[in-house]
Amino acid sequence: QVQLQESGPGLVKASQTLSLTCSVSGDSISSGAHCWSWVRQHPGKGLEWIGCIYHSGSTDYNPSLKSRLTISVDASENHFSLKLSSVTAADTAVYYCAREERNGYNSIFDYWGQGTLVNVSS
Amino acid sequence: SYELTQPPSVSVSPGQTARITCSGDELPKQYVYWYQQKPGQAPVLVIYKDKERPSGIPERFSGSSSGATVTLTISGVQPGDEADYHCQSSDSNGTPVFGGGTKLTVL
């Protein structure tokens, strides 16, 4: 059974960098079959895809966040990470990591972490 | 930017049929995926490629498409189906996009 688990600070000060890690079990990032993704959900709102990374380190980012975003991977540790810089209150959200299967222009998110709430304080 | 439009809420009585729509200009060319999200939980895939059902998902859940609108249908709605439902597709560049979500209330 594939499992993903997010970890990181639940509180970040405005203007600083939000950092989260997703640990994967039951699958190997090195298998290369998937893009490992971050998705967030603002309180009471819909889901927003943030970006994803392949085992090779190749990334795909949401254009709206690209200038502040870095996603990295450590295949040897079977985890991947998110860094979002210069955060504001608008970045307060539940952050999920997910396994994304891509086929051409189609993406499917078949396994998700439980999510972690990150509050940005002023 | 590309948007998928869902109704904010749908309400049905137990045993009735719920229909949740998702509209977007690219939908005639892209598949739609549906996720169920219960309070405090992660989303769970319930329909993929417009109408396919993952293993373990009850047959009560079905999907259909017509032009720029895709519909998730839940037949014989049960109280346990009360949740938020999110559609997801991709824009013309392949960037994943989610709808705003629909809250299904079982009266």
Side-chain angles (χ1 to χ4, degrees), chain A residues 5-62:
Chain A
Q5 180 66 58
E6 306 88 352
S7 60
L11 186 63
V12 180
K13 291 185 178 179
S15 79
Q16 295 190 344
T17 296
L18 180 160
S19 297
L20 296 172
T21 295
C22 180
S23 299
V24 179
S25 59
D27 189 11
S28 173
I29 289 178
S30 297
S31 71
H34 300 91
C35 202
W36 299 90
S37 294
W38 291 98
V39 177
R40 70 181 180 179
Q41 186 171 31
H42 295 104
K45 302 296 183 182
L47 300 164
E48 178 184 26
W49 179 77
I50 297 171
C52 73
I53 190 165
Y54 291 94
H55 76 291
S56 63
S58 174
T59 56
D60 189 13
Y61 292 162
N62 187 322

Side-chain angles (χ1 to χ4, degrees), chain A residues 1-121:
Chain A
Q1 176 74 344
V2 179
Q3 294 185 320
L4 297 90
Q5 180 66 58
E6 306 88 352
S7 60
L11 186 63
V12 180
K13 291 185 178 179
S15 79
Q16 295 190 344
T17 296
L18 180 160
S19 297
L20 296 172
T21 295
C22 180
S23 299
V24 179
S25 59
D27 189 11
S28 173
I29 289 178
S30 297
S31 71
H34 300 91
C35 202
W36 299 90
S37 294
W38 291 98
V39 177
R40 70 181 180 179
Q41 186 171 31
H42 295 104
K45 302 296 183 182
L47 300 164
E48 178 184 26
W49 179 77
I50 297 171
C52 73
I53 190 165
Y54 291 94
H55 76 291
S56 63
S58 174
T59 56
D60 189 13
Y61 292 162
N62 187 322
S64 68
L65 297 169
K66 189 173 184 176
S67 63
R68 301 191 290 130
L69 183 62
T70 301
I71 298 177
S72 58
V73 65
D74 186 337
S76 66
E77 295 290 331
N78 219 35
H79 69 222
F80 61 106
S81 300
L82 164 75
K83 290 187 185 299
L84 186 65
S85 65
S86 305
V87 296
T88 69
D91 294 307
T92 292
V94 175
Y95 286 77
Y96 295 96
C97 56
R99 190 178 82 169
E100 180 183 343
E101 180 178 329
R102 290 196 164 189
N103 184 356
Y105 283 143
N106 291 289
S107 291
I108 179 173
F109 300 88
D110 54 1
Y111 290 96
W112 297 69
Q114 279 301 107
T116 186
L117 175 62
V118 179
N119 279 296
V120 177
S121 68

Side-chain angles (χ1 to χ4, degrees), chain B residues 3-8 21-24 27 34 68-70 87 98-102:
Chain B
E3 292 185 352
L4 296 175
T5 301
Q6 298 181 238
T21 58
C22 176
S23 301
L27 294 190
W34 289 96
T69 298
V70 177
C87 64
F98 290 90
T102 298

Side-chain angles (χ1 to χ4, degrees), chain B residues 12-106:
Chain B
V12 296
S13 299
Q16 290 189 329
T17 297
R19 294 180 179 87
I20 300 172
T21 58
C22 176
S23 301
D25 292 342
E26 296 288 328
L27 294 190
K29 294 176 284 185
Q30 304 282 11
Y31 285 124
V32 166
Y33 305 82
W34 289 96
Y35 302 85
Q36 177 194 67
Q37 185 181 30
K38 295 184 178 180
Q41 297 184 19
V44 173
L45 181 71
V46 294
I47 293 289
Y48 66 98
K49 290 186 178 180
D50 291 350
K51 59 183 181 180
E52 303 297 327
R53 198 172 48 250
S55 60
I57 300 301
E59 292 183 8
R60 303 183 290 104
F61 289 82
S62 64
S64 61
S65 67
S66 178
T69 298
V70 177
T71 301
L72 170 68
T73 300
I74 309 171
S75 305
V77 168
Q78 300 177 0
D81 297 331
E82 188 163 283
D84 293 331
Y85 291 84
H86 306 271
C87 64
Q88 175 250 314
S89 187
S90 301
D91 67 14
S92 59
N93 296 313
T95 298
V97 176
F98 290 90
T102 298
K103 181 177 180 59
L104 175 66
T105 299
V106 182

